[in-house]
mmCIF file with all atom_site columns, all heavy atoms in Angstrom:
data_model
loop_
_atom_site.group_PDB
_atom_site.id
_atom_site.type_symbol
_atom_site.label_atom_id
_atom_site.label_alt_id
_atom_site.label_comp_id
_atom_site.label_asym_id
_atom_site.label_entity_id
_atom_site.label_seq_id
_atom_site.pdbx_PDB_ins_code
_atom_site.Cartn_x
_atom_site.Cartn_y
_atom_site.Cartn_z
_atom_site.occupancy
_atom_site.B_iso_or_equiv
_atom_site.pdbx_formal_charge
_atom_site.auth_seq_id
_atom_site.auth_comp_id
_atom_site.auth_asym_id
_atom_site.auth_atom_id
_atom_site.pdbx_PDB_model_num
ATOM 1  N N   . THR A 1 141 ? 23.968 -30.603 -16.581 1.00 95.00 ? 151 THR A N   1
ATOM 2  C CA  . THR A 1 141 ? 24.038 -29.275 -15.845 1.00 95.00 ? 151 THR A CA  1
ATOM 3  C C   . THR A 1 141 ? 23.635 -29.334 -14.495 1.00 95.00 ? 151 THR A C   1
ATOM 4  O O   . THR A 1 141 ? 24.312 -28.864 -13.546 1.00 95.00 ? 151 THR A O   1
ATOM 5  C CB  . THR A 1 141 ? 23.193 -28.256 -16.625 1.00 95.00 ? 151 THR A CB  1
ATOM 6  O OG1 . THR A 1 141 ? 23.563 -28.306 -18.026 1.00 95.00 ? 151 THR A OG1 1
ATOM 7  C CG2 . THR A 1 141 ? 23.442 -26.848 -16.019 1.00 95.00 ? 151 THR A CG2 1
ATOM 8  N N   . GLN A 1 142 ? 22.512 -30.110 -14.170 1.00 92.00 ? 152 GLN A N   1
ATOM 9  C CA  . GLN A 1 142 ? 22.002 -30.169 -12.771 1.00 92.00 ? 152 GLN A CA  1
ATOM 10 C C   . GLN A 1 142 ? 23.041 -31.016 -12.000 1.00 92.00 ? 152 GLN A C   1
ATOM 11 O O   . GLN A 1 142 ? 23.269 -30.692 -10.791 1.00 92.00 ? 152 GLN A O   1
ATOM 12 C CB  . GLN A 1 142 ? 20.603 -30.914 -12.727 1.00 92.00 ? 152 GLN A CB  1
ATOM 13 C CG  . GLN A 1 142 ? 19.518 -30.018 -13.296 1.00 92.00 ? 152 GLN A CG  1
ATOM 14 C CD  . GLN A 1 142 ? 18.211 -30.834 -13.403 1.00 92.00 ? 152 GLN A CD  1
ATOM 15 O OE1 . GLN A 1 142 ? 17.975 -31.546 -14.388 1.00 92.00 ? 152 GLN A OE1 1
ATOM 16 N NE2 . GLN A 1 142 ? 17.486 -30.883 -12.315 1.00 92.00 ? 152 GLN A NE2 1
ATOM 17 N N   . GLN A 1 143 ? 23.605 -32.003 -12.550 1.00 93.00 ? 153 GLN A N   1
ATOM 18 C CA  . GLN A 1 143 ? 24.591 -32.890 -11.784 1.00 93.00 ? 153 GLN A CA  1
ATOM 19 C C   . GLN A 1 143 ? 25.787 -31.980 -11.518 1.00 93.00 ? 153 GLN A C   1
ATOM 20 O O   . GLN A 1 143 ? 26.402 -32.198 -10.445 1.00 93.00 ? 153 GLN A O   1
ATOM 21 C CB  . GLN A 1 143 ? 24.963 -34.066 -12.659 1.00 93.00 ? 153 GLN A CB  1
ATOM 22 C CG  . GLN A 1 143 ? 23.864 -35.091 -12.827 1.00 93.00 ? 153 GLN A CG  1
ATOM 23 C CD  . GLN A 1 143 ? 24.311 -36.361 -13.598 1.00 93.00 ? 153 GLN A CD  1
ATOM 24 O OE1 . GLN A 1 143 ? 25.228 -36.929 -13.288 1.00 93.00 ? 153 GLN A OE1 1
ATOM 25 N NE2 . GLN A 1 143 ? 23.519 -36.659 -14.655 1.00 93.00 ? 153 GLN A NE2 1
ATOM 26 N N   . TYR A 1 144 ? 26.234 -31.201 -12.425 1.00 95.00 ? 154 TYR A N   1
ATOM 27 C CA  . TYR A 1 144 ? 27.389 -30.328 -12.177 1.00 95.00 ? 154 TYR A CA  1
ATOM 28 C C   . TYR A 1 144 ? 27.039 -29.380 -11.020 1.00 95.00 ? 154 TYR A C   1
ATOM 29 O O   . TYR A 1 144 ? 27.898 -29.211 -10.071 1.00 95.00 ? 154 TYR A O   1
ATOM 30 C CB  . TYR A 1 144 ? 27.735 -29.550 -13.424 1.00 95.00 ? 154 TYR A CB  1
ATOM 31 C CG  . TYR A 1 144 ? 28.733 -28.418 -13.121 1.00 95.00 ? 154 TYR A CG  1
ATOM 32 C CD1 . TYR A 1 144 ? 30.078 -28.651 -12.755 1.00 95.00 ? 154 TYR A CD1 1
ATOM 33 C CD2 . TYR A 1 144 ? 28.328 -27.048 -13.134 1.00 95.00 ? 154 TYR A CD2 1
ATOM 34 C CE1 . TYR A 1 144 ? 30.963 -27.647 -12.486 1.00 95.00 ? 154 TYR A CE1 1
ATOM 35 C CE2 . TYR A 1 144 ? 29.189 -25.945 -12.742 1.00 95.00 ? 154 TYR A CE2 1
ATOM 36 C CZ  . TYR A 1 144 ? 30.537 -26.352 -12.496 1.00 95.00 ? 154 TYR A CZ  1
ATOM 37 O OH  . TYR A 1 144 ? 31.399 -25.288 -12.187 1.00 95.00 ? 154 TYR A OH  1
ATOM 38 N N   . VAL A 1 145 ? 25.835 -28.832 -10.922 1.00 94.00 ? 155 VAL A N   1
ATOM 39 C CA  . VAL A 1 145 ? 25.431 -27.955 -9.822  1.00 94.00 ? 155 VAL A CA  1
ATOM 40 C C   . VAL A 1 145 ? 25.528 -28.589 -8.578  1.00 94.00 ? 155 VAL A C   1
ATOM 41 O O   . VAL A 1 145 ? 26.073 -28.130 -7.534  1.00 94.00 ? 155 VAL A O   1
ATOM 42 C CB  . VAL A 1 145 ? 24.073 -27.321 -10.092 1.00 94.00 ? 155 VAL A CB  1
ATOM 43 C CG1 . VAL A 1 145 ? 23.571 -26.677 -8.872  1.00 94.00 ? 155 VAL A CG1 1
ATOM 44 C CG2 . VAL A 1 145 ? 24.055 -26.397 -11.231 1.00 94.00 ? 155 VAL A CG2 1
ATOM 45 N N   . LYS A 1 146 ? 25.073 -29.871 -8.522  1.00 92.00 ? 156 LYS A N   1
ATOM 46 C CA  . LYS A 1 146 ? 24.986 -30.629 -7.292  1.00 92.00 ? 156 LYS A CA  1
ATOM 47 C C   . LYS A 1 146 ? 26.436 -30.975 -6.715  1.00 92.00 ? 156 LYS A C   1
ATOM 48 O O   . LYS A 1 146 ? 26.806 -30.781 -5.605  1.00 92.00 ? 156 LYS A O   1
ATOM 49 C CB  . LYS A 1 146 ? 24.299 -31.947 -7.362  1.00 92.00 ? 156 LYS A CB  1
ATOM 50 C CG  . LYS A 1 146 ? 24.242 -32.737 -6.168  1.00 92.00 ? 156 LYS A CG  1
ATOM 51 C CD  . LYS A 1 146 ? 23.253 -33.788 -6.220  1.00 92.00 ? 156 LYS A CD  1
ATOM 52 C CE  . LYS A 1 146 ? 23.501 -34.924 -7.230  1.00 92.00 ? 156 LYS A CE  1
ATOM 53 N NZ  . LYS A 1 146 ? 22.474 -35.987 -7.161  1.00 92.00 ? 156 LYS A NZ  1
ATOM 54 N N   . GLN A 1 147 ? 27.356 -31.231 -7.715  1.00 92.00 ? 157 GLN A N   1
ATOM 55 C CA  . GLN A 1 147 ? 28.773 -31.504 -7.401  1.00 92.00 ? 157 GLN A CA  1
ATOM 56 C C   . GLN A 1 147 ? 29.434 -30.269 -6.783  1.00 92.00 ? 157 GLN A C   1
ATOM 57 O O   . GLN A 1 147 ? 30.244 -30.423 -5.883  1.00 92.00 ? 157 GLN A O   1
ATOM 58 C CB  . GLN A 1 147 ? 29.532 -32.040 -8.653  1.00 92.00 ? 157 GLN A CB  1
ATOM 59 C CG  . GLN A 1 147 ? 29.124 -33.406 -9.108  1.00 92.00 ? 157 GLN A CG  1
ATOM 60 C CD  . GLN A 1 147 ? 29.745 -34.488 -8.295  1.00 92.00 ? 157 GLN A CD  1
ATOM 61 O OE1 . GLN A 1 147 ? 30.582 -34.317 -7.355  1.00 92.00 ? 157 GLN A OE1 1
ATOM 62 N NE2 . GLN A 1 147 ? 29.304 -35.657 -8.511  1.00 92.00 ? 157 GLN A NE2 1
ATOM 63 N N   . VAL A 1 148 ? 29.174 -29.136 -7.370  1.00 93.00 ? 158 VAL A N   1
ATOM 64 C CA  . VAL A 1 148 ? 29.712 -27.930 -6.855  1.00 93.00 ? 158 VAL A CA  1
ATOM 65 C C   . VAL A 1 148 ? 29.297 -27.699 -5.494  1.00 93.00 ? 158 VAL A C   1
ATOM 66 O O   . VAL A 1 148 ? 30.129 -27.232 -4.609  1.00 93.00 ? 158 VAL A O   1
ATOM 67 C CB  . VAL A 1 148 ? 29.282 -26.672 -7.806  1.00 93.00 ? 158 VAL A CB  1
ATOM 68 C CG1 . VAL A 1 148 ? 29.661 -25.321 -7.127  1.00 93.00 ? 158 VAL A CG1 1
ATOM 69 C CG2 . VAL A 1 148 ? 29.943 -26.782 -9.175  1.00 93.00 ? 158 VAL A CG2 1
ATOM 70 N N   . LEU A 1 149 ? 27.972 -27.869 -5.173  1.00 91.00 ? 159 LEU A N   1
ATOM 71 C CA  . LEU A 1 149 ? 27.442 -27.602 -3.842  1.00 91.00 ? 159 LEU A CA  1
ATOM 72 C C   . LEU A 1 149 ? 28.116 -28.589 -2.877  1.00 91.00 ? 159 LEU A C   1
ATOM 73 O O   . LEU A 1 149 ? 28.369 -28.218 -1.704  1.00 91.00 ? 159 LEU A O   1
ATOM 74 C CB  . LEU A 1 149 ? 25.961 -27.721 -3.875  1.00 91.00 ? 159 LEU A CB  1
ATOM 75 C CG  . LEU A 1 149 ? 25.208 -26.694 -4.731  1.00 91.00 ? 159 LEU A CG  1
ATOM 76 C CD1 . LEU A 1 149 ? 23.727 -27.038 -4.802  1.00 91.00 ? 159 LEU A CD1 1
ATOM 77 C CD2 . LEU A 1 149 ? 25.397 -25.269 -4.103  1.00 91.00 ? 159 LEU A CD2 1
ATOM 78 N N   . VAL A 1 150 ? 28.304 -29.792 -3.268  1.00 88.00 ? 160 VAL A N   1
ATOM 79 C CA  . VAL A 1 150 ? 28.899 -30.880 -2.379  1.00 88.00 ? 160 VAL A CA  1
ATOM 80 C C   . VAL A 1 150 ? 30.361 -30.462 -2.103  1.00 88.00 ? 160 VAL A C   1
ATOM 81 O O   . VAL A 1 150 ? 30.862 -30.570 -0.893  1.00 88.00 ? 160 VAL A O   1
ATOM 82 C CB  . VAL A 1 150 ? 28.751 -32.283 -3.026  1.00 88.00 ? 160 VAL A CB  1
ATOM 83 C CG1 . VAL A 1 150 ? 29.711 -33.252 -2.293  1.00 88.00 ? 160 VAL A CG1 1
ATOM 84 C CG2 . VAL A 1 150 ? 27.384 -32.710 -3.069  1.00 88.00 ? 160 VAL A CG2 1
ATOM 85 N N   . ASN A 1 151 ? 31.101 -30.097 -3.150  1.00 85.00 ? 161 ASN A N   1
ATOM 86 C CA  . ASN A 1 151 ? 32.473 -29.700 -2.958  1.00 85.00 ? 161 ASN A CA  1
ATOM 87 C C   . ASN A 1 151 ? 32.639 -28.476 -2.099  1.00 85.00 ? 161 ASN A C   1
ATOM 88 O O   . ASN A 1 151 ? 33.646 -28.372 -1.415  1.00 85.00 ? 161 ASN A O   1
ATOM 89 C CB  . ASN A 1 151 ? 33.106 -29.455 -4.368  1.00 85.00 ? 161 ASN A CB  1
ATOM 90 C CG  . ASN A 1 151 ? 33.651 -30.818 -4.917  1.00 85.00 ? 161 ASN A CG  1
ATOM 91 O OD1 . ASN A 1 151 ? 34.745 -31.259 -4.722  1.00 85.00 ? 161 ASN A OD1 1
ATOM 92 N ND2 . ASN A 1 151 ? 32.825 -31.407 -5.837  1.00 85.00 ? 161 ASN A ND2 1
ATOM 93 N N   . ALA A 1 152 ? 31.723 -27.604 -2.157  1.00 85.00 ? 162 ALA A N   1
ATOM 94 C CA  . ALA A 1 152 ? 31.790 -26.303 -1.403  1.00 85.00 ? 162 ALA A CA  1
ATOM 95 C C   . ALA A 1 152 ? 31.447 -26.514 0.090   1.00 85.00 ? 162 ALA A C   1
ATOM 96 O O   . ALA A 1 152 ? 31.764 -25.703 0.894   1.00 85.00 ? 162 ALA A O   1
ATOM 97 C CB  . ALA A 1 152 ? 30.865 -25.246 -2.039  1.00 85.00 ? 162 ALA A CB  1
#
Side-chain angles (χ1 to χ4, degrees):
T151 306
Q152 288 173 272
Q153 292 182 52
Y154 168 69
V155 168
K156 182 164 66 175
Q157 290 282 354
V158 170
L159 296 173
V160 170
N161 274 276

